[in-house]
Amino acid sequence: MSVRNALLALLEQGPRYGYQLRAEFEDRTGGTWPLNVGQVYTTLNRLERDGLVEGRGEDGDGHVVYSVTTAGRDEVAAWFGSPVSRTQPPREELAIKLALAVTVPGVDVGAVIQQQRSATMAALQDYTRLKRRATGDEPGELAWGLVLDSLVFTAEAEIRWLDHCEARLRRAAHDRRTTSSPVEPVSPVEPVEPAEITEAHR
């Protein structure tokens, strides 16, 4: 998630100070990814250093107000006009956890999967309940609806992936048992005399 670009996009709507940006970001995303106000101001300082925003002094309440520069507008346009890169996938904690669980002796991988599936199912039920609430076509409601749809699809995909992991582990365990089991002795074959072969093919 690019907080940097999200703040720039909000500032395109007009000058704002840090607390306003945090509140608007959380409102538009349904509070799914809460921001620390310190993170907001740290990001604003970096944006100002890079020439993408500029401080416009303080308002009547002493808040430092920022506005986007031309370079900042170009940055927002480039962000909206390009796909999110998948060349460097984000570190997915659950995938890392299962990868290590499979290789660390003494870890019950099946239990890890079951616990995660239960937690993800509970989250999916919560998202589904939220989706039942009436949502309109106003930009704010539509924005939250899109975020909620993303959460639902992600949870559903995670549950399918966990089922897949469980199936692969079962197959791997079965293959190991089959490989390690003693081989059944093969009955000796009686030697066949050349004359018998000749008789059989007449």
Side-chain angles (χ1 to χ4, degrees):
M1 179 188 65
S2 176
V3 173
R4 167 191 173 99
N5 290 325
L7 296 185
L8 281 174
L10 291 172
L11 284 171
E12 257 203 324
Q13 313 299 304
R16 286 166 172 76
Y17 54 86
Y19 282 95
Q20 286 177 320
L21 288 167
R22 183 185 71 167
E24 284 198 38
F25 176 87
E26 293 183 358
D27 182 61
R28 297 187 192 204
T29 60
T32 304
W33 301 285
L35 291 180
N36 182 291
V37 73
Q39 180 185 6
V40 173
Y41 279 108
T42 298
T43 304
L44 286 171
N45 289 336
R46 290 174 181 162
L47 290 170
E48 187 173 27
R49 177 201 63 195
D50 296 339
L52 302 176
V53 304
E54 58 186 6
R56 301 186 60 178
E58 297 182 354
D59 64 7
D61 296 321
H63 302 116
V64 178
V65 177
Y66 293 86
S67 63
V68 69
T69 63
T70 301
R73 292 182 188 279
D74 292 342
E75 184 91 358
V76 173
W79 183 50
F80 283 131
S82 59
V84 175
S85 173
R86 298 297 181 192
T87 55
Q88 292 184 333
R91 292 186 182 91
E92 168 50 53
E93 183 181 354
L94 179 55
I96 294 170
K97 186 178 186 179
L98 286 183
L100 291 176
V102 168
T103 58
V104 173
V107 177
D108 186 344
V109 187
V112 173
I113 291 174
Q114 288 174 11
Q115 289 174 351
Q116 186 62 48
R117 185 189 289 110
S118 296
T120 306
M121 283 292 296
L124 180 58
Q125 289 167 358
D126 289 340
Y127 300 148
T128 303
R129 278 194 290 270
L130 288 172
K131 278 181 67 68
R132 290 198 191 103
R133 297 180 183 176
T135 55
D137 293 330
E138 292 297 320
E141 293 175 331
L142 186 57
W144 166 229
L146 292 175
V147 169
L148 193 53
D149 287 340
S150 173
L151 296 174
V152 168
F153 292 143
T154 299
E156 289 174 342
E158 183 169 287
I159 291 167
R160 288 196 300 273
W161 177 68
L162 289 168
D163 291 343
H164 167 76
C165 290
E166 195 169 51
R168 282 202 65 179
L169 288 168
R170 284 203 194 101
R171 282 197 304 272
H174 176 267
D175 291 345
R176 282 194 297 272
R177 285 195 300 271
T178 303
T179 304
S180 62
S181 62
V183 178
E184 291 292 328
V186 179
S187 301
V189 178
E190 290 292 331
V192 179
E193 294 297 329
E196 295 178 278
I197 297 174
T198 304
E199 284 292 323
H201 287 289
R202 280 181 181 172

